[in-house]
Amino acid sequence: MAKSHKDSVNRRGFLKGAAAGAAAGAAALVTNVETSEAQRGGGGQRGTAAAPGGAPPPTPEQVTRDAGNVQPPATARAITRPGSDLMTQVLRDLGVEYVAANPGSSFEGLQESLINYGNPPNKMPEFITALHEESAVTMAHGYGKAEGKPMCALLHGTIGVQHAAMSIYQAYYDRTPVLLLAGRDEGFIAAHTAHDMAGMVRSYTKWDAQPKTLDDSLIAIQRAYNEAITPPCGPTLVVLDIELQKEEAKAAKVPAYQSPRITGIESAQAKDIAKGLLDAQNPRIAVGRLRTPQGVKNAVELAELVGACTSTSATNGPMSFPQRHPLCGPGFSTTYDYTLGLETAGAQASITSPGLATLLSRDVTNIGFGGIAPGSGARGGGGARGGRGGAAAGPALALTADAEASLPAILEEVKRQLTADKRRAIQDRTAKHTEANQKARVEAIMQAVEAKRSGWDASPVSTARIYSELWPLIMNEDWCLSSPSGFSGGHNAQLWDHNKPYSYLGGQGAGGMGYGAPASVGAALAAKSRGRIVINVQTDGDLNYAPGVLWTAVHHKLPMLTVMHNNRAWHQELMFVEYMCGVRGRGTDRGHIGTSLRDPYIDYAKMAAGYGMASDGPISDPKLLAAALKRGVESVKKGNPYLIDVITQPR
């Protein structure tokens, strides 16, 4: 539905009273006439005939101006220091790189500041044009998973928050830091305004505020940012009244920013963990999902210092231990006498961030969402437990603290307790782990490659072939697989090397559709200035929820390669319905009804072209795939997004 607030006819002055507008217009007309007369030197008519009623005819300059062909002369600024300039400065001070939004009148003051304030304007943050609020928030979701810090999404009133609600919930469930700002304009369109706008999503945001003054607004934005990045991370929301954006700031100042204090373990606990790792003959560190690249760097340093083999969740999501690191794997023996868990379970000690129960305390109406309860959710918990002989022993020490914030203290203690004898033992153990892990890795890859040969030359194209032929084209690039890979076979886990914190961003959290493409655009925003390319293996049903984000990728020249996993169905649902048909003895002939995308088939290459994106396909002959992938990779390396429509096997 089109937003009526975007109609240029329905501006604020018109809705606030036609009589007042007419009076102002008449006064402006008198002023213009008097100015024009004065400019003519007292009413000379330049040899022209008088118009009926005695008024002079319009000059050619007036006709040109009234037709809108020239800009009117600049006028003095009515507001010299608008509040939204200070809001923009707060975002800049926080290091927010991007603000994504579908434009709306409730934040027109802030939007104007974002695109005009500062030197240079429209940088830090840069305004990103979204075609849907849901996509704007999912862009922020993808960016947050790639960088471990928030970008911002702007939402228009109640309808913008409602459009964005699913994406907000996904970011919440996925524990991803996202900063949300919603405009509120009670005097313009009442239908787009609510007294407590944040109440609609309070059950699945971490913190919200609706400040009443400009000073409070600036403080609220800073706090929302801090709350978003403090474990358990999640989306936060600040509702900003339009008048606060437009008012004269006067003596208001941007408050000094103070980063949050994130709780780690106590020094005595760090000392005990360091001693346990150094005294063990075969320690192991199980690494779950950390918050930032620095956390991953510290985990690597700890493993190398103590010579511990490690596990990783890098192939399940971002910010974990490098998959191909020499210490990553089972090691030379699976009998571990000390296992430390970082955001996952460990046999002797586990450090995990506060649970989602912390966020559930905001569910004031007791709605409950997605079965979220203490111990569930995307981060924390899960993963195989280490122990002697791989036994699933319960953790002897469970510490509720942020693992990433705890690592510096553990590292300091390990360095303090290291002796020459321990260093020699660690060096020998590291060599054994390296040899054993390399052997296990080669065997696993060979088995995976052999298993994926099935259907190699088949048409439709096998999903394994997509991942296999992509890998040699990107293996020497700085790449990010931004889309979920579960529905396309998850072949990246065996065939690709996930050695960067952002190598694979994982699934969509709560499993909501319309995620892959906008999350990939968010990841591509993070990649654009960092020399990376983004790979989006895009399921077809998912793209149809929010295809307009392809335009955003083209408009902002993002390095994103989209390869369509076009199986022409919501295949999971197709399987479920066909199974139900079968077990009820009705036959599967009509199982495709409501689950397949056919009659007509959708041409995604043409869809991309319609949004201005270079494209290939549809490709059903696997022999044509490699050349198309090469064209796509070369295009995105130059900063031009590309889409390849591949007709694929179901999974």
Side-chain angles (χ1 to χ4, degrees):
M1 180 181 74
K3 295 178 184 175
S4 60
H5 67 281
K6 294 176 182 173
D7 190 327
S8 61
V9 175
N10 292 334
R11 301 307 301 148
R12 180 186 306 275
F14 179 85
L15 293 180
K16 284 187 173 179
L29 178 59
V30 171
T31 301
N32 289 340
V33 170
E34 290 174 346
T35 302
S36 179
E37 288 298 318
Q39 290 173 341
R40 285 198 295 269
Q45 297 184 14
R46 296 185 179 179
T48 59
T59 64
E61 292 81 5
Q62 286 177 297
V63 172
T64 302
R65 183 198 65 198
D66 294 343
N69 295 328
V70 295
Q71 291 292 328
T75 57
R77 291 175 60 184
I79 301 294
T80 59
R81 193 168 178 253
S84 55
D85 280 4
L86 276 63
M87 296 174 187
T88 300
Q89 186 62 51
V90 167
L91 294 174
R92 182 169 295 172
D93 292 347
L94 291 170
V96 175
E97 289 188 287
Y98 300 105
V99 175
N102 184 239
S105 63
S106 63
F107 54 76
E108 61 192 8
L110 181 54
Q111 180 173 348
E112 191 280 332
S113 291
L114 288 167
I115 63 179
N116 282 323
Y117 170 78
N119 186 21
N122 198 34
K123 293 292 181 185
M124 286 296 290
E126 178 183 351
F127 194 91
I128 302 299
T129 308
L131 274 62
H132 196 294
E133 283 93 348
E134 181 180 291
S135 295
V137 176
T138 303
M139 288 180 210
H141 188 172
Y143 177 96
K145 289 169 78 171
E147 289 300 307
K149 64 178 185 179
M151 66 173 271
C152 179
L154 267 176
L155 308 174
H156 166 69
T158 56
I159 60 174
V161 175
Q162 288 170 319
H163 266 163
M166 187 278 289
S167 293
I168 295 171
Y169 174 56
Q170 291 228 111
Y172 163 82
Y173 198 91
D174 212 12
R175 300 198 183 190
T176 303
V178 172
L179 176 60
L180 304 169
L181 303 178
R184 183 177 182 274
D185 188 358
E186 193 167 27
F188 183 31
I189 298 182
H192 293 182
T193 307
H195 294 304
D196 182 14
M197 200 176 295
M200 294 185 289
V201 293
R202 187 163 291 130
S203 295
Y204 43 94
T205 52
K206 184 179 176 186
W207 183 84
D208 69 78
Q210 186 173 311
K212 299 301 183 184
T213 68
L214 176 58
D215 287 334
D216 288 346
S217 297
L218 306 180
I219 295 170
I221 294 171
Q222 289 182 338
R223 181 173 175 187
Y225 184 92
N226 281 356
E227 293 284 353
I229 64 175
T230 301
C233 300
T236 57
L237 172 62
V238 179
V239 179
L240 298 171
D241 281 332
I242 189 70
E243 301 306 332
L244 300 182
Q245 302 168 40
K246 293 184 175 183
E247 72 177 32
E248 179 66 65
K250 298 179 182 178
K253 295 181 180 180
V254 174
Y257 171 66
Q258 293 184 338
S259 58
R261 295 185 61 184
I262 299 175
T263 303
I265 58 175
E266 297 177 358
S267 58
Q269 295 168 330
K271 184 176 182 178
D272 289 344
I273 290 173
K275 185 176 187 302
L277 289 169
L278 289 171
D279 288 349
Q281 299 302 305
N282 187 23
R284 182 168 178 80
I285 301 175
V287 184
R289 176 175 161 184
L290 300 172
R291 289 186 290 106
T292 71
Q294 184 61 45
V296 175
K297 182 179 179 181
N298 288 346
V300 171
E301 183 181 0
L302 179 61
E304 291 175 346
L305 275 174
V306 302
C309 65
T310 72
S311 66
T312 180
S313 65
T315 56
N316 295 322
M319 306 297 170
S320 194
F321 204 88
Q323 181 190 18
R324 304 303 188 198
H325 189 282
L327 290 172
C328 189
F332 68 86
S333 171
T334 57
T335 300
Y336 313 117
D337 50 349
Y338 189 93
T339 302
L340 170 65
L342 301 175
E343 299 296 349
T344 190
Q348 278 70 37
S350 300
I351 308 173
T352 55
S353 295
L356 280 167
T358 304
L359 305 189
L360 275 178
S361 63
R362 288 174 53 74
D363 193 356
V364 294
T365 57
N366 196 31
I367 298 171
F369 281 90
I372 299 177
S376 69
R379 181 189 292 171
R385 295 176 184 267
R388 294 186 180 277
L397 183 62
L399 303 172
T400 302
D402 179 62
E404 180 170 322
S406 303
L407 281 169
I410 299 174
L411 284 167
E412 183 179 349
E413 277 297 331
V414 166
K415 292 173 184 177
R416 191 181 66 81
Q417 296 181 32
L418 267 174
T419 64
D421 288 343
K422 290 187 189 312
R423 289 182 189 276
R424 284 190 290 270
I426 289 169
Q427 186 175 7
D428 179 65
R429 186 164 63 234
T430 298
K432 292 180 180 179
H433 283 324
T434 299
E435 181 181 1
N437 287 337
Q438 176 66 12
K439 181 180 178 182
R441 186 172 300 122
V442 170
E443 291 176 354
I445 292 175
M446 294 303 294
Q447 291 174 3
V449 169
E450 189 62 33
K452 296 177 194 309
R453 291 185 187 278
S454 176
W456 185 258
D457 293 320
S459 178
V461 180
S462 76
T463 55
R465 186 158 182 170
I466 291 175
Y467 285 93
S468 297
E469 296 201 337
L470 252 176
W471 178 237
L473 298 174
I474 66 169
M475 60 185 295
N476 295 320
E477 306 293 337
D478 190 4
W479 56 270
C480 165
L481 178 59
S482 54
S483 55
S485 66
F487 285 123
S488 55
H491 305 289
N492 57 295
Q494 299 88 28
L495 301 178
W496 296 10
D497 298 342
H498 302 80
N499 290 332
K500 302 287 180 64
Y502 47 79
S503 290
Y504 176 51
L505 301 188
Q508 59 265 63
M513 300 295 282
Y515 169 86
S520 297
V521 166
L525 286 168
K528 184 178 180 180
S529 63
R530 296 172 173 86
R532 297 201 292 261
I533 63 173
V534 166
I535 308 299
N536 170 30
V537 181
Q538 176 65 55
T539 52
D540 52 346
D542 183 82
L543 180 62
N544 282 290
Y545 283 78
V549 77
L550 298 177
W551 180 90
T552 300
V554 176
H555 181 72
H556 293 284
K557 296 179 169 44
L558 301 182
M560 180 181 80
L561 173 62
T562 295
V563 181
M564 292 303 302
H565 169 32
N566 183 5
N567 59 19
R568 295 174 166 171
W570 290 282
H571 191 73
Q572 176 172 279
E573 285 66 32
L574 173 61
M575 291 189 298
F576 289 163
V577 173
E578 286 189 334
Y579 171 81
M580 192 58 60
C581 291
V583 297
R584 292 178 175 179
R586 305 183 200 237
T588 60
D589 293 347
R590 289 177 295 281
H592 67 278
I593 296 174
T595 57
S596 296
L597 295 166
R598 63 193 201 187
D599 300 325
Y601 293 130
I602 300 171
D603 190 324
Y604 295 97
K606 288 183 179 178
M607 176 187 288
Y611 288 112
M613 183 178 290
S615 59
D616 252 315
I619 294 173
S620 57
D621 183 349
K623 295 182 178 62
L624 302 177
L625 179 62
L629 292 173
K630 184 177 181 180
R631 288 191 292 271
V633 170
E634 290 302 316
S635 178
V636 298
K637 284 169 62 177
K638 297 174 183 176
N640 300 313
Y642 202 90
L643 181 144
I644 305 170
D645 186 6
V646 184
I647 310 302
T648 61
Q649 295 176 5
R651 288 289 178 93

